Amino acid sequence: MNQITWEKSVEEQFKQVLEQIPALVRDIAEIRITKKLESMLKEQNRTVISEKDMVDALFAETPPGFVPLMKNGLRELNIDFTKYGQA
């Protein structure tokens, strides 16, 4: 498979999202979210990570108890997750 890449602004957004994750679990979160992104793109035979992909992976891999914090963080970064079907 071709090398997976990020849309320009999305990689920066992802780094900002990671900064909001507590340091204690940040590395684990990054690995889980990245693996989810890779599997999603492989399934769809695509190579470029979009904002929607990032949002979908965040919702898929964030433990339920932390979803409200994640949503607040996305709002702070002006990422409208509702336009991707996430509530």
Side-chain angles (χ1 to χ4, degrees), residues 10-26:
V10 177
E11 186 172 20
E12 189 55 42
Q13 287 175 323
F14 184 58
K15 289 176 184 175
Q16 292 174 324
V17 168
L18 288 175
E19 286 298 313
Q20 296 175 332
I21 297 171
L24 189 63
V25 294
R26 188 175 300 142

Side-chain angles (χ1 to χ4, degrees), residues 28-84:
I28 295 165
E30 182 176 9
I31 290 166
R32 289 185 59 146
I33 295 163
T34 302
K35 284 186 178 184
K36 182 66 173 177
L37 284 165
E38 289 170 358
S39 71
M40 288 167 46
L41 265 66
K42 187 175 181 182
E43 245 175 54
Q44 299 169 19
N45 200 27
R46 295 186 301 119
T47 58
V48 180
I49 298 169
S50 68
E51 184 179 77
K52 180 185 186 322
D53 297 323
M54 178 187 70
V55 167
D56 289 346
L58 286 167
F59 274 85
E61 294 301 321
T62 301
F66 293 97
V67 169
L69 288 172
M70 178 198 60
K71 287 180 179 180
N72 287 338
L74 291 175
R75 285 186 195 103
E76 287 174 16
L77 297 171
N78 295 314
I79 298 171
D80 180 8
F81 52 85
T82 62
K83 70 181 177 184
Y84 302 121

